[in-house]
Amino acid sequence: MSKRVLDKNFCVIPWTGFQVEPDGGVKNCIISKDTIGNLSDQGIHDILKKNSEVKKQMLSGQFPKTCDGCYLQEKHRQKDFGSISSRLYYAKEITPHISKELLEDHKNFDLKHVDVRWSNKCNLACVYCGPMYSSKWGTELGRKQQRFDYDDSLKTYLFDNITSLKNVYLAGGEPMLMKQNKDFLELLLEKNPEVHIRVNTNLSKTHTGIFDLLCQFKNVHWTISVESMHEEYEYIRHHGVWNDFVGNLKRLKELDHKISFNMLFFILNYHSIYDTVRFFRDMGYHENSFIIGPLYTPAHFNVLNLPDKIISQIKDRLQKEIAISDHYLKNSYENILAYIENTTWNRNASAFVEEIKILDQRRGLEGKKIFKRVFEDIGNV
């Protein structure tokens, strides 16, 4: 193994993989701030050649600004390689499959990982999302379905290199609804069945054929997006049905696959998220099954819009949960607390109230009743 992987500024992804956004934008990973290029304008080979600056910075010991998300997550756990940052995840997943020499030259690249989001097709319109990642949002706002023209070139590249892949991440949109995933998984199953697959899904659609294909792989890590329960769940994940979600989760639990919950901590669930975690814990899920992080955008849903008194209460609760938690769950609470304590924020609770009013008028909902405690905490704005 290359010793560079142990350096705190270093990430293997620029040498081994990339992420594709629904609009064709290519980044190193979902955490990266910067887009390298767009598949609507250039082929993937040309885009990856433009990625040398980040590599040069890492090789010289610098910390690229585009990677600040991972560095921030690791800041308070500097001696712990078990942190939940993407940088450390990929170090563990990909490093065993690459040569020592690969990471020594900024011109090198050896495809081992891809995070592909073929389109924004999605059946839910989550409150914090938008048309970029949800076609349902686009429909709600009266916009036409976005269509991109890079599918064939990207598929050709990935299909030609299908046996090189060691790690695949499927997200969206909703990956269970994308026919490109069906073609991709069929070829993976034929040519590379041992590949490790992560799929980030809202788990609301299991009858499209893609769920059944995934069930045939041995190394699948299901990352389930969920933030709350019951009526809060159905408000946050608009068009979702809580009972259907729980039924699909029980079906999934029968497989011998890894399951995690990808949860956001924000202004609508800072009360209820602990009960949601407890619900899944009671179903038998371990503390390592929870990856929870603060929601940064849209700004009006950021928890830092709350009054100082409530922020203080949130910090106290997080400290109590940290004291009784372990593994990734504890790490998640620590990351949220670190974010709250180290982030300067221009509070704007009125923007949150106004956004809820707009959403409710458009969707025929009553958020103020569903999230009564939240509005009580905000007070008169």
Side-chain angles (χ1 to χ4, degrees):
M1 180 183 77
S2 172
K3 292 183 179 179
R4 290 195 181 277
V5 178
L6 301 177
D7 294 340
K8 297 184 185 301
N9 74 310
F10 211 88
C11 179
V12 300
I13 283 295
W15 280 265
T16 60
F18 58 90
Q19 184 237 336
V20 181
E21 293 276 50
D23 66 350
V26 177
K27 303 196 301 182
N28 280 301
C29 76
I30 188 62
I31 302 297
S32 301
K33 295 178 181 178
D34 301 329
T35 300
I36 308 167
N38 195 292
L39 289 166
S40 297
D41 305 319
Q42 290 179 293
I44 188 62
H45 291 285
D46 293 331
I47 290 173
L48 292 176
K49 288 178 183 177
K50 295 163 55 179
N51 198 32
S52 60
E53 184 57 34
V54 166
K55 296 180 184 179
K56 289 179 180 178
Q57 290 179 32
M58 290 182 178
L59 287 169
S60 64
Q62 299 177 56
F63 290 75
K65 294 295 293 181
T66 189
C67 305
D68 277 352
C70 282
Y71 300 145
L72 178 63
Q73 282 187 317
E74 299 167 23
K75 189 174 181 180
H76 65 287
R77 295 171 66 89
Q78 295 182 14
K79 296 182 180 180
D80 188 355
F81 209 71
S83 176
I84 57 177
S85 74
S86 291
R87 184 185 80 88
L88 294 177
Y89 168 83
Y90 290 121
K92 289 180 283 188
E93 286 290 323
I94 296 173
T95 301
H97 306 292
I98 61 176
S99 67
K100 294 180 181 179
E101 294 76 22
L102 178 69
L103 306 179
E104 298 303 320
D105 191 325
H106 70 89
K107 296 179 182 179
N108 292 341
F109 185 83
D110 184 12
L111 181 66
K112 299 298 179 187
H113 163 79
V114 66
D115 171 350
V116 60
R117 303 157 193 238
W118 300 100
S119 76
N120 67 341
K121 190 171 185 180
C122 188
N123 59 313
L124 303 186
C126 301
V127 293
Y128 50 73
C129 196
M132 170 70 173
Y133 293 102
S134 168
S135 57
K136 202 72 171 179
W137 255 101
T139 300
E140 181 177 316
L141 297 178
R143 301 181 187 179
K144 292 182 179 180
Q145 169 72 33
Q146 290 177 281
R147 298 185 184 278
F148 309 114
D149 58 7
Y150 62 82
D151 287 3
D152 289 343
S153 61
L154 179 61
K155 283 178 69 173
T156 298
Y157 176 77
L158 292 180
F159 284 24
D160 286 348
N161 293 278
I162 201 84
T163 58
S164 299
L165 291 168
K166 299 298 181 182
N167 191 284
V168 169
Y169 187 33
L170 303 178
E174 171 47 48
M176 299 295 173
L177 299 178
M178 300 174 192
K179 74 177 189 64
Q180 298 95 329
N181 279 336
K182 189 171 185 295
D183 298 337
F184 187 33
L185 289 169
E186 285 175 345
L187 190 61
L188 272 173
L189 191 61
E190 177 187 350
K191 302 288 187 180
N192 192 359
E194 301 300 317
V195 68
H196 181 209
I197 300 173
R198 282 198 303 157
V199 55
N200 192 326
T201 174
N202 60 42
L203 204 62
S204 63
K205 295 290 184 181
T206 59
H207 301 292
T208 62
I210 296 171
F211 179 87
D212 294 331
L213 271 170
L214 285 164
C215 290
Q216 297 180 58
F217 289 86
K218 292 189 297 184
N219 302 315
V220 181
H221 180 176
W222 297 83
T223 305
I224 313 301
S225 296
V226 58
E227 289 83 23
S228 195
M229 300 184 292
H230 306 299
E231 62 179 357
E232 286 193 11
Y233 167 91
E234 294 181 356
Y235 185 96
I236 293 170
R237 306 201 138 256
H238 188 47
H239 299 295
V241 178
W242 171 249
N243 288 337
D244 290 348
F245 169 81
V246 174
N248 289 336
L249 182 59
K250 289 178 178 177
R251 179 184 174 194
L252 182 61
K253 200 171 187 297
E254 296 174 357
L255 300 174
D256 187 23
H257 285 172
K258 183 176 180 180
I259 300 172
S260 295
F261 298 96
N262 185 25
M263 310 173 81
L264 291 169
F265 185 94
F266 66 117
I267 201 168
L268 290 180
N269 72 341
Y270 62 92
H271 281 301
S272 60
I273 195 165
Y274 308 106
D275 289 336
T276 306
V277 169
R278 191 173 300 109
F279 174 84
F280 295 128
R281 291 290 309 278
D282 289 344
M283 286 184 69
Y285 290 99
H286 188 268
E287 288 182 330
N288 259 347
S289 302
F290 300 94
I291 306 297
I292 312 172
L295 181 145
Y296 306 121
T297 58
H300 50 263
F301 283 131
N302 195 302
V303 73
L304 292 173
N305 288 308
L306 291 164
D308 286 339
K309 177 182 177 181
I310 306 304
I311 294 295
S312 180
Q313 292 174 5
I314 291 172
K315 289 161 64 175
D316 289 344
R317 178 63 187 272
L318 284 167
Q319 288 168 344
K320 290 177 181 177
E321 295 295 330
I322 289 168
I324 61 174
S325 302
D326 209 343
H327 304 288
Y328 286 168
L329 181 58
K330 180 178 182 178
N331 194 177
S332 293
Y333 291 144
E334 288 172 336
N335 285 344
I336 296 168
L337 181 60
Y339 171 75
I340 291 173
E341 291 181 334
N342 294 289
T343 303
T344 302
W345 192 261
N346 294 321
R347 182 177 298 118
N348 191 357
S350 60
F352 160 73
V353 173
E354 183 61 25
E355 182 63 25
I356 292 296
K357 186 184 299 183
I358 293 170
L359 278 176
D360 287 353
Q361 288 175 347
R362 193 166 62 231
R363 297 177 174 182
L365 301 174
E366 295 183 284
K368 203 166 185 177
K369 289 184 178 179
I370 295 172
F371 301 96
K372 184 178 179 181
R373 288 182 66 187
V374 175
F375 281 86
E376 288 175 350
D377 285 347
I378 291 175
N380 296 320
V381 176

